[in-house]
Amino acid sequence: MKVSNVVKDNFREDKLPHIWCPGCGHGILMHAIARAVSNKGLDRDKVVVVSGIGCSSRAPGYMNFNTLHTTHGRALAFATGIKMSQPDLHVIVITGDGDAAAIGGNHLIHACRRNIDLTTIVFNNNIYGMTGGQYSPTTPTNDYGTTAPYGNIDKTFDLCDLAKAAGATYVARSTAYHARIIEKLIENGLDNKGFSFIEGISVCPTYYGRKNKKGNAVDMMKSLKEDTIDIRIAKKKPELAEGKMLIGEFHNSEEEEYTARYDKIIDLFEKE
Amino acid sequence: MEKNIKLLQGNEACVEGALAAGMNFFAGYPITPSTEIAELSAQKLPRIGGRFIQMEDEIAGMAATLGGALTGKKAMTATSGPGFSLKQENLGYGCIAEIPCVVVNVQRGGPSTGLPTSPAQGDIMQAKWGTHGDHPVIALYPNSVQEIYEVTIDAFNNAEKYRTPVILLLDEVIAHMREKVDFDSVKGKEVFDRKKPTCPKDEYLAYENTEDLVPPMADFGSGYRYHVTGLVHDQFGFPSNNSEIADTQIRRLLNKIEKNKKDIIKYEEYKMDDAEVAFVAFGSTSRSAKESVDKLRSEGIKAGLYRPITIWPFADEKVKEISENVKNIIVAEMNLGQYVNEVKRVSSDKCKVDFYGKINGHLITPTELTNFVKEAIR
Ligand SMILES: Cc1ncc(C[n+]2csc(CCOP(=O)(O)OP(=O)(O)O)c2C)c(N)n1
Ligand code: SF4
């Protein structure tokens, strides 16, 4: 698919340019979602993109689908209502690390547990971008944020571990650097009939980068490449994985999907 | 012909009314004294091809209800005080994003966990101001099981007509008592469905400043792709910081209720024609007030009752008119003074407005009211 068509087909061009800072990783992840939807040939009238609040959650406004920008942390709860009430819709959720794992953490756990067919992409930039650089549940311990001026004492959260443990049937991680790979992972998530959790590591040069002396946007992108390793390689050569973040597909299982289970209850009475 | 009558509990009548209005989606979280509404919805909805989901908390219950409404469903959620507090942020979202749905609040004693199994009327102002910012509110409050059945239909109708969440207030007493319900009472009553767009798909303005102030609403999935946000937005639904747009859109939200007060406001008057003392009471308290009216009349005191069924918007003109025709108004509520301040705000100086309140978890009795009136008019 030609890039120009991806933009024309999937974006509200009159709403661009977006609000994100130069060098922000969010746009790359948003574009990957659009490509994945195009590749899958989904009917755009049947695609709903839901988000919470944050820089990341601004993405749906630019995307030419049924789009819903909800309240902070609640995207998955709104999305659950949409999917449950109208199961033929393809529901994609875009959320941030704060949105998904702090204020929305409970909804994340329960969406995973239900295995409801939502494809969730977390734009994880390890910080609260929109409110100006406060630490989030994924800010590494000892890193700095505007509310962690002496270093973050919290333990950092591995969201993929969380999603898998809570019952998500598809769990994967990649980064804004690995644009083509994450596109493919999102496609797999769309294919999965169940709850798919894809963590897209993003970069926030404006706040996280500056507070933690991570260099400029290009430096931060480079470290997404250098500081990550695919899980398949890591399994074969564990010595290469030292100090690196695992990326790739972590979990893929088949289990009955939530709305399909409810359909069976409805069917009981239709036969009556 | 056989009569279509059943003995029902108030909460059950609420579900029956909702189904009669076309409810086909319910999302909620259990809490006393509203739980039967969720239980009965869970039982009934799949039988008609509808859907029920128990969410992880009331915040999610409210969110999922709005999500269901966006796909074109008639959606409801039900709760009580603590859960009503949790729903507030997303309730405001429903107001600004103009998403029709019904939120039932079966009031119990508060604040906090309060008195879970006792009646109260402490959420009257919360129903109006619980969510932040200026926003439109429709809140209805029936006072019998029969009326719960009927007013639940009105709640859905108002939600659909004005594209907004509607709050249905009940209290523990009317929600849990059993009375007969005549289902035929609503025969011929209109069931209103939201206006949908008919324009070409690329011309649809989901938040258009239409003459009737209520723009048509497309279902997600119907081919009208549009954007919904809780940020102040333009007619397309896109976020805007433009002060003129903000002013126009927020005023439209409020005006769509304000300009349709005549249609929305419902009340009952009992022996008001020659009344010199008027009760203002609603929900279970109004039942005691009615009895007290009869008692007072038997003793030669010309008492009457004004019972708002529509709590919000407030019937300014009607209450003002009453205050001009009676010497005393007695506002009785199971709280420490909420609606009374609204009554005072509009009442004529010539009329004395007194308040009788109670918050110990017990009903206000007719005898208490009768004695209070005698004291007040001395
Ligand atoms: C209920 C509520 N609390 C707090 C906020 C303020 N707030 C807006 S965005 C945000 C954090 C967003 O961080 P994240 O989800 O990581 O997204 P990012 O901006 O980094 O993409 C916060 C705390 C809010 N809008 N609503
Ligand atoms: S603040 Fe950070 S996350 Fe937000 S747009 Fe700027 S770079 Fe991106």
Side-chain angles (χ1 to χ4, degrees), chain A residues 206-225:
Chain A
T206 305
Y207 293 113
Y208 180 73
R210 209 159 53 188
K211 273 269 152 201
N212 290 287
K213 304 203 165 48
K214 297 285 181 190
N216 61 23
V218 178
D219 298 327
M220 290 181 79
M221 274 295 183
K222 268 193 195 148
S223 48
L224 289 183
K225 178 188 174 199

Side-chain angles (χ1 to χ4, degrees), chain A residues 41-141:
Chain A
L42 301 183
D43 175 359
R44 274 181 309 176
D45 288 344
K46 298 286 176 200
V47 174
V48 183
V49 186
V50 186
S51 68
I53 296 289
C55 296
S56 35
S57 289
R58 281 303 192 97
Y62 308 117
M63 304 178 82
N64 194 359
F65 306 100
N66 305 281
T67 52
L68 181 65
H69 176 227
T70 69
T71 46
H72 191 28
R74 317 302 172 195
L76 282 165
F78 277 83
T80 297
I82 290 171
K83 184 69 190 179
M84 184 61 182
S85 65
Q86 195 66 44
D88 68 340
L89 297 174
H90 306 283
V91 185
I92 297 170
V93 176
I94 297 176
T95 170
D97 42 301
D99 198 61
I103 191 164
N106 198 33
H107 308 308
L108 174 59
I109 293 170
H110 291 281
C112 291
R113 175 178 65 85
R114 291 187 187 104
N115 192 35
I116 186 164
D117 188 15
L118 305 172
T119 303
T120 296
I121 301 106
V122 180
F123 294 11
N124 180 3
N125 55 9
N126 308 101
I127 204 90
Y128 288 175
M130 176 135 286
T131 40
Q134 300 77 30
Y135 65 95
S136 90
T138 63
T139 303
T141 312

Side-chain angles (χ1 to χ4, degrees), chain A residues 170-234:
Chain A
Y170 184 81
V171 181
R173 174 193 292 139
S174 195
T175 83
Y177 174 83
H178 303 85
R180 290 289 166 194
I181 295 174
I182 197 145
E183 167 185 342
K184 181 69 190 138
L185 297 176
I186 296 166
E187 280 180 46
N188 296 348
L190 291 170
D191 283 340
N192 176 42
K193 272 242 135 270
F195 191 81
S196 302
F197 183 84
I198 296 130
E199 182 178 4
I201 306 294
S202 185
V203 292
C204 172
T206 305
Y207 293 113
Y208 180 73
R210 209 159 53 188
K211 273 269 152 201
N212 290 287
K213 304 203 165 48
K214 297 285 181 190
N216 61 23
V218 178
D219 298 327
M220 290 181 79
M221 274 295 183
K222 268 193 195 148
S223 48
L224 289 183
K225 178 188 174 199
E226 285 156 10
D227 300 344
T228 53
I229 183 167
D230 190 279
I231 184 168
R232 288 164 300 185
I233 301 171

